[in-house]
Amino acid sequence: MKKHFLHGTWTLSSPSLSITCEGMVPGSIYGDLLRNNLIEDPFYRDNEFKVCALMEHDFSYERTFEINTIDDSLQTVLVCEGLDTLANVYLNKEHIASTNNMHRTYRIDVTKELRVGVNHIRIDILSPIQFMKQKEQNRTYPLFQNKDTIKGYIHLRKGSSMLGWDWGPKLPDGGIWRSIYLETIHQSRIDSLMIHQIHQEDNVFLRITPLLETRVDAPLDLLCIIKDSQGSIVHSSMFPVIGSPTFDVMIHDAKKWYPCGYGAQELYTIDCMLFSNGVKIDMQSKRIGLREIVVKRQDDTYGQSFTFVCNGIEIFARGANYIPEDNLLSRTSKLLTRDLLTLAKEASHNMIRVWGGGIYPEDYFYDICDELGLLVWQDLMFACSVYDMDDVDFVDTMKVEIKDNLIRIRHHACLALICGNNENETAIEHWNVPSLERSKDYYIRQYVTTIQPIVSTYAPQITYWVSSPSSGKTPFEGSNSDHFGDMHYWGVWHNNEPIHYYRHYFPRFMSEFGIQSFPALKTVETFTKEMDRNIFSYVMEVHQKNNTANDKILNYIGKMFQYPKDFNSLLYVSQLIQAEGIRYGVEHWRRFRGQCMGAVYWQLNDCYPVASWSSIDYFHRPKALYYHSKKFFSDVLLSIEETANQANIHLSNESLQEIQGAIHLKWMDVDGIIIEERSHEVVILPQTSAIVDHFSTTLEYSQLMDKVLVVEFTNKSGQRVSNQVSFVPDKHLSLKKPQIKTLIHLQDQTLTMELSTDTLAKYVEIGHNIHDIRASDQYFHLFPNKPIFVEVPWNDSIEEFVNGLQLRSLVDTYL
């Protein structure tokens, strides 16, 4: 099979806007207009609104290409892996296709239209906004839609969040966003591979079923070669194609794939080649992991479990929700995705939930998750909405969309679960949706009657979960219970409940919860002028998509910290309330391992520079929450469950080995004076959590304002984890201005910093006035007589680092 890619330079035009410029494919309309200086940066100030309005117009991409020869015995197909969204496709002035779904791959037979010599292709991208307006005008009954999104998005199979969400702008980019090419086919091609695994102790039985598309009746042979992760051939066989071919392979002494932290990420490659008369005419290659993942749902004293089990190991899922990485589709890349996901793994994450209101990620997203050992909870692209199941065109394209994407991703080792939607079931139960009975009917028809059989057919070994959250029982009954299924808890944040309310809930699996923060000042500077730098300014509120969220940030700051003295301090403290809140919840749920088996916070990343729930901002600058997650998601967690004047010390061991070591407890004042100190040995079994110590005090509140409890666990190998708590909020803690000293050593492009202090310094941040710092630790607590060592990747001189070094801690935000 030959492929003729149509990537590169096209002409982009819009007659109604009098625009003609160079376009790049794959790419996007906004990306091309920005590159040609025809629009201002849509992320700057309030440019979003002017740029959004452009999509009320139609655009066209066109180019010519040459074909030297045409063999009449062959078929040529135009393959469009991503047309966004409503498009008419013309080849040599002949209309060859109309599309209505950005999530689909379109295969268009162009054998008759193609000619020797110069060919002309034009793709008209029609306005999504005009389409949605017309659909809304013609609608005779109301259907529930997300209030932050341009109305009518529910009628269009386009990434919903491109049209606005409560963390993203209304920038509905469009264009030819993925590969487009001509594919020349002989008499047959391999359409797809279905790979079925049966695990038998150390061996894995594979049943590999190629689906062939055959144009003519001719003898064919299939060759299957399987290689392990070192490239060694573990199987090779060739056989004639008779009927629907299937071949069985036993992999002996299989090297299995595990999520990170539970084992290695061994990957096998399956090459399936199709031959005609000894000539290879097509090939498909899939990289797989030998693993068995199920979701254990077993009745117990708490209700019913919801536990991911991989190769017999029960996993406590730790991770975050992933949204589209950029509202301008042309600015995403494999390099950026790898950086984002590597950051997640380095912060002890083992699961990524692909949220259902965006787009299905690129193939390389799943490849990277395979390599890093990140489990993927994959929502289908439906969120916070009710969809019209009487719209025949919508239903037809939806079915193909799901089939296309399941076939594309089902072989990946990382894929742990397919979920029908985000929050659509709980919306119908709890959110006072209009057309209630119709909405219930549409929901059942969509996710149970239609989608569930598609998943069973095309991804039979992947668990299908109808909605998130859901009890998995009777629809619309207890859909957000903490006794069954998965839970989204938003009382903390949306209802302004204090963070200790997390301890009121014992979910079987917490798949959404979050607290907002602002990004770093460097990020804010990219979209503001100096006069905008007040959180209630017009521009800052344009970059805050969650209504009243800035008020909420101040509310949580007021509960925990003193009022910040300036704008930069406010940004910093906002990150602390986010980090502390999420830490509070995760530590609580990990203490009840077994009852709760997952904590996946909202959200990992941003799609543009914005105030949001992310732990890593648009420019991949990690926030305080990111650094906290390194600790509260680590295999061994020391946590302190405090009340007004006492505390239980918990040790959680998610590793597969028993751990032995010593607990060391210090009750001290902020200057490091020890009031009480003790140590003792402990042993914690694998994958358990236990109380290992208890502390209480009879001091009055005013006497507690300069005291802190510090607990450290050191295992037999010398590895340490620690935690601290005071019995008054940080805003009432009698902190002094610390004198932080640093000793810096540079070797092999790594700076090692030794930091020490004369008095307690809370949430120490290491910054630089020019360069971004990705230190091994940030926002940590520095105690007197207890230096901390931090590593920083660095490609310049020590002098350059020292000259720009910026250190601050909590007390600097108000003194």
Side-chain angles (χ1 to χ4, degrees):
M1 183 181 295
K2 295 181 180 179
K3 292 182 179 180
H4 181 102
F5 284 90
L6 299 176
H7 295 175
T9 303
W10 292 49
T11 297
L12 172 64
S13 62
S14 177
S16 62
L17 291 169
S18 301
I19 286 175
T20 301
C21 65
E22 179 183 274
M24 294 301 295
V25 172
S28 71
I29 293 169
Y30 286 158
D32 290 333
L33 296 178
L34 185 60
R35 190 177 59 256
N36 286 282
N37 298 313
L38 294 171
I39 59 172
E40 298 178 59
D41 180 359
F43 293 172
Y44 184 65
R45 303 194 85 224
D46 64 349
N47 288 343
E48 165 195 345
F49 306 124
K50 292 179 286 187
V51 174
C52 177
L54 296 177
M55 294 310 290
E56 295 180 9
H57 299 264
D58 299 341
F59 289 82
S60 294
Y61 280 91
E62 58 186 314
R63 64 164 289 177
T64 59
F65 60 93
E66 290 194 27
I67 297 295
N68 295 325
T69 60
I70 294 178
D71 186 335
D72 292 337
S73 68
L74 305 180
Q75 180 189 33
T76 303
V77 174
L78 176 67
V79 182
C80 307
E81 294 185 354
L83 296 181
D84 182 12
T85 293
L86 299 164
N88 287 318
V89 186
Y90 299 86
L91 181 59
N92 296 324
K93 298 185 178 179
E94 295 290 329
H95 179 263
I96 56 173
S98 294
T99 73
N100 61 0
N101 191 327
M102 77 172 293
H103 306 300
R104 281 181 54 182
T105 295
Y106 290 90
R107 299 181 59 85
I108 308 160
D109 190 339
V110 295
T111 307
K112 294 179 181 178
E113 289 79 13
L114 203 63
R115 62 193 181 204
V116 174
V118 177
N119 291 262
H120 179 268
I121 184 170
R122 187 180 93 238
I123 300 179
D124 295 339
I125 306 294
L126 308 182
S127 166
I129 296 176
Q130 297 295 349
F131 175 86
M132 293 187 300
K133 282 182 180 178
Q134 185 175 359
K135 277 287 195 178
E136 280 296 290
Q137 289 169 0
N138 294 337
R139 195 154 51 88
T140 58
Y141 46 82
L143 290 177
F144 178 73
Q145 305 182 45
N146 179 42
K147 62 181 176 61
D148 298 299
T149 309
I150 297 174
K151 266 198 164 183
Y153 73 90
I154 59 173
H155 306 292
L156 188 62
R157 293 311 297 145
K158 181 177 177 67
S160 300
S161 62
M162 299 172 72
L163 298 145
W165 216 262
D166 61 359
W167 37 255
K170 295 179 175 69
L171 287 171
D173 205 355
I176 308 170
W177 70 296
R178 284 181 174 162
S179 286
I180 180 170
Y181 51 90
L182 294 166
E183 190 174 81
T184 303
I185 304 168
H186 290 71
Q187 64 265 36
S188 298
R189 61 181 286 270
I190 303 173
D191 177 75
S192 60
L193 296 179
M194 174 77 84
I195 303 164
H196 193 88
Q197 300 187 22
I198 300 175
H199 287 240
Q200 303 171 351
E201 295 184 354
D202 294 334
N203 304 327
V204 177
F205 174 82
L206 297 179
R207 171 156 289 172
I208 304 170
T209 304
L211 177 63
L212 304 182
E213 284 188 4
T214 303
R215 295 176 56 237
V216 296
D217 188 13
L220 299 169
D221 296 291
L222 276 167
L223 172 63
C224 175
I225 298 175
I226 303 177
K227 298 176 183 177
D228 64 17
S229 55
Q230 283 72 46
S232 300
I233 295 175
V234 298
H235 175 83
S236 179
S237 63
M238 191 167 188
F239 55 90
V241 173
I242 300 173
S244 299
T246 293
F247 49 96
D248 298 334
V249 178
M250 181 67 79
I251 306 295
H252 297 280
D253 299 320
K255 302 171 184 176
K256 296 190 178 183
W257 183 96
Y258 292 87
C260 56
Y262 298 91
Q265 288 77 57
E266 298 284 354
L267 296 167
Y268 288 73
T269 302
I270 298 176
D271 293 326
C272 190
M273 290 162 271
L274 186 64
F275 288 82
S276 175
N277 297 317
V279 177
K280 185 169 70 172
I281 60 173
D282 197 12
M283 173 179 172
Q284 279 215 11
S285 183
K286 300 293 182 187
R287 193 173 60 164
I288 68 167
L290 302 180
R291 91 292 181 272
E292 190 174 38
I293 299 177
V294 298
V295 177
K296 177 183 175 183
R297 296 172 59 204
Q298 183 175 304
D299 291 343
D300 56 26
T301 56
Y302 310 113
Q304 188 181 77
S305 63
F306 191 94
T307 305
F308 286 87
V309 182
C310 181
N311 300 330
I313 299 173
E314 295 191 353
I315 307 296
F316 190 102
R318 295 158 278 166
N321 285 262
Y322 167 91
I323 64 170
E325 294 178 45
D326 204 309
N327 255 76
L328 271 65
L329 296 174
S330 55
R331 296 205 292 208
T332 58
S333 71
K334 183 176 182 179
L335 186 65
L336 288 170
T337 298
R338 182 175 290 279
D339 182 59
L340 179 67
L341 294 175
T342 300
L343 281 170
K345 179 175 180 176
E346 290 174 351
S348 307
H349 295 219
N350 62 27
M351 176 172 278
I352 300 293
R353 177 179 174 233
V354 179
W355 170 77
I359 57 177
Y360 300 92
E362 299 275 1
D363 291 339
Y364 58 68
F365 171 90
Y366 303 97
D367 289 335
I368 295 166
C369 288
D370 287 344
E371 295 161 11
L372 297 179
L374 294 172
L375 294 168
V376 172
W377 170 312
Q378 176 68 60
D379 281 4
L380 302 179
M381 291 301 115
F382 308 96
C384 302
S385 310
V386 174
Y387 300 89
D388 187 354
M389 291 298 287
D390 288 331
D391 184 334
V392 175
D393 290 339
F394 178 92
V395 173
D396 287 347
T397 196
M398 176 195 76
K399 291 178 181 178
V400 182
E401 164 198 325
I402 295 167
K403 173 187 171 184
D404 282 354
N405 284 283
L406 290 177
I407 289 172
R408 181 170 68 90
I409 70 175
R410 65 189 176 191
H411 64 281
H412 283 281
C414 62
L415 189 60
L417 179 141
I418 301 292
C419 181
N421 65 79
N422 172 76
E423 296 188 341
N424 295 354
E425 181 185 347
T426 200
I428 293 172
E429 182 180 359
H430 296 294
W431 296 0
N432 194 30
V433 304
S435 309
L436 180 60
E437 292 309 313
R438 184 186 297 271
S439 296
K440 288 182 176 180
D441 175 57
Y442 284 173
Y443 179 92
I444 297 297
R445 285 163 59 186
Q446 183 171 11
Y447 303 109
V448 179
T449 307
T450 303
I451 292 178
Q452 186 164 353
I454 296 174
V455 177
S456 297
T457 299
Y458 293 101
Q461 290 199 292
I462 308 296
T463 295
Y464 175 68
W465 188 242
V466 69
S467 183
S468 179
S470 179
S471 68
K473 295 180 176 291
T474 303
F476 322 121
E477 293 183 12
S479 59
N480 203 23
S481 167
D482 64 349
H483 298 292
F484 308 92
D486 70 316
M487 183 182 189
H488 295 189
Y489 172 59
W490 285 104
V492 174
W493 184 254
H494 285 305
N495 294 345
N496 278 317
E497 294 170 358
I499 62 172
H500 67 77
Y501 272 43
Y502 282 131
R503 292 185 182 171
H504 293 183
Y505 296 91
F506 298 84
R508 311 317 308 269
F509 192 104
M510 182 62 79
S511 49
E512 267 196 36
F513 63 107
I515 295 173
Q516 268 206 13
S517 69
F518 295 106
L521 180 60
K522 286 180 182 177
T523 296
V524 172
E525 288 173 342
T526 67
F527 65 83
T528 59
K529 294 181 178 180
E530 187 171 353
M531 67 182 194
D532 302 323
R533 292 167 197 158
N534 180 302
I535 67 165
F536 295 112
S537 73
Y538 167 69
V539 169
M540 286 297 291
E541 289 193 336
V542 165
H543 286 254
Q544 169 57 273
K545 300 301 184 182
N546 183 224
N547 188 34
T548 74
N550 289 356
D551 298 350
K552 289 186 174 71
I553 289 174
L554 290 185
N555 169 61
Y556 282 100
I557 289 175
K559 292 180 190 301
M560 301 185 206
F561 302 114
Q562 293 191 32
Y563 194 81
K565 65 185 179 182
D566 55 33
F567 180 71
N568 192 10
S569 296
L570 177 53
L571 303 184
Y572 163 80
V573 175
S574 79
Q575 293 195 19
L576 301 185
I577 61 115
Q578 179 189 39
E580 281 297 294
I582 302 307
R583 176 191 67 82
Y584 209 85
V586 172
E587 289 183 350
H588 163 63
W589 294 318
R590 287 195 63 182
R591 289 195 281 266
F592 291 87
R593 188 195 194 280
Q595 187 170 355
C596 177
M597 286 302 290
V600 180
Y601 65 74
W602 186 269
Q603 65 204 68
L604 179 66
N605 60 303
D606 282 325
C607 62
Y608 95 127
V610 65
S612 81
W613 297 270
S614 72
S615 58
I616 301 169
D617 80 14
Y618 173 75
F619 294 103
H620 289 197
R621 293 184 174 116
K623 297 181 181 179
L625 169 56
Y626 170 82
Y627 285 98
H628 272 43
S629 73
K630 280 189 171 187
K631 299 167 186 175
F632 63 61
F633 278 159
S634 64
D635 280 352
V636 180
L637 170 68
L638 183 71
S639 65
I640 305 173
E641 183 185 13
E642 86 290 351
T643 58
N645 58 3
Q646 58 184 322
N648 286 325
I649 317 303
H650 294 253
L651 197 59
S652 303
N653 176 20
E654 186 57 26
S655 76
L656 302 180
Q657 292 79 41
E658 176 183 278
I659 56 172
Q660 301 178 25
I663 290 288
H664 188 195
L665 182 149
K666 289 183 182 179
W667 177 233
M668 57 190 285
D669 70 14
V670 295
D671 292 326
I673 304 300
I674 305 297
I675 303 165
E676 180 182 343
E677 184 174 15
R678 63 173 182 259
S679 298
H680 64 91
E681 298 293 315
V682 297
V683 177
I684 300 294
L685 296 175
Q687 297 192 297
T688 59
S689 186
I691 297 174
V692 293
D693 207 339
H694 178 79
F695 175 84
S696 63
T697 177
T698 58
L699 294 178
E700 298 293 328
Y701 191 91
S702 61
Q703 298 173 300
L704 294 171
M705 292 170 63
D706 67 343
K707 308 293 190 304
V708 62
L709 178 66
V710 183
V711 187
E712 185 175 80
F713 170 74
T714 306
N715 70 11
K716 295 296 185 182
S717 302
Q719 296 172 318
R720 297 176 179 176
V721 293
S722 63
N723 216 323
Q724 62 80 45
V725 71
S726 54
F727 294 97
V728 300
D730 282 335
K731 65 182 179 180
H732 293 162
L733 202 58
S734 300
L735 297 174
K736 304 171 185 177
K737 193 86 168 177
Q739 298 296 317
I740 299 177
K741 296 180 180 180
T742 61
L743 293 175
I744 303 173
H745 176 67
L746 176 63
Q747 183 175 4
D748 299 329
Q749 297 185 335
T750 299
L751 283 165
T752 300
M753 300 180 66
E754 179 184 349
L755 297 98
S756 59
T757 183
D758 60 336
T759 187
L760 173 60
K762 298 207 77 174
Y763 309 105
V764 175
E765 178 191 72
I766 305 168
H768 197 276
N769 62 7
I770 297 174
H771 302 283
D772 285 338
I773 297 296
R774 283 194 185 174
S776 57
D777 198 5
Q778 287 271 34
Y779 308 100
F780 51 83
H781 307 304
L782 189 59
F783 294 93
N785 308 313
K786 189 72 173 179
I788 285 181
F789 294 85
V790 176
E791 292 187 344
V792 179
W794 190 253
N795 295 321
D796 214 319
S797 65
I798 291 181
E799 291 74 22
E800 174 70 14
F801 181 79
V802 171
N803 289 339
L805 179 62
Q806 298 171 325
L807 291 176
R808 65 175 164 179
S809 65
L810 179 62
V811 73
D812 297 309
T813 66
Y814 57 85
L815 286 184

